[in-house]
Amino acid sequence: ELWVSLEEHQDALELIMSKYRKQMLQLLEGRKREEAEPVLKAHQANSGEIESQIDRICEMGEVMRKAVQVDDEQFFKVQEKLAQLELENKELRELLLISKESFEVGREDLPD
């Protein structure tokens, strides 16, 4: 009788322990979710902030690219104008030299 009673108590104890383990697992899973939820919300908020910063950086990069493009175009226009002015200056100097030579030749031909 003692042996049978002991087995019944062990079976009951095993049933109680299995229910206890099951409830503890559920409680721990619930706590993990509750503990993880604020961290998840903070992480999501952080991700949103980082995403908006990345968008602003991309916009600034696009503005900088356009500024460089405009600056390059302006630089090429100035270079072209400078080359044109240098060419005109060279031609004018040649004309001035021809004019001086012509004037000197004209003075030599005049009688004293």
Side-chain angles (χ1 to χ4, degrees):
E1 285 180 29
L2 284 173
W3 191 260
V4 171
S5 178
L6 180 63
E7 284 180 359
E8 286 176 359
H9 283 298
Q10 282 180 342
D11 289 340
L13 188 59
E14 282 180 27
L15 180 63
I16 291 169
M17 287 304 292
S18 71
K19 286 184 179 182
Y20 172 77
R21 287 185 199 110
K22 185 176 180 181
Q23 286 180 351
M24 286 304 290
L25 277 172
Q26 288 174 349
L27 181 64
L28 287 175
E29 286 177 4
R31 279 189 185 168
K32 285 181 183 176
R33 278 189 226 133
E34 289 173 5
E35 291 172 1
E37 194 169 318
V39 173
L40 182 61
K41 285 182 181 179
H43 183 66
Q44 287 173 341
N46 232 2
S47 295
E49 186 178 326
I50 290 171
E51 188 175 326
S52 70
Q53 288 177 351
I54 289 172
D55 290 342
R56 285 190 358 226
I57 289 170
C58 289
E59 288 173 9
M60 289 183 344
E62 187 62 33
V63 168
M64 289 168 48
R65 267 191 227 99
K66 286 181 182 180
V68 167
Q69 183 180 9
V70 168
D71 194 37
D72 285 346
E73 289 173 2
Q74 188 67 23
F75 174 76
F76 291 129
K77 285 180 183 177
V78 167
Q79 287 292 96
E80 184 178 334
K81 187 70 173 176
L82 183 61
Q84 180 183 0
L85 289 173
E86 286 175 350
L87 181 63
E88 287 176 11
N89 189 20
K90 181 180 175 185
E91 290 173 356
L92 287 173
R93 285 182 187 274
E94 288 175 2
L95 286 173
L96 182 62
L97 183 63
I98 292 171
S99 174
K100 280 183 181 179
E101 289 174 354
S102 162
F103 181 72
E104 288 174 3
V105 168
R107 281 177 83 189
E108 290 174 5
D109 290 343
L110 286 177
D112 289 328

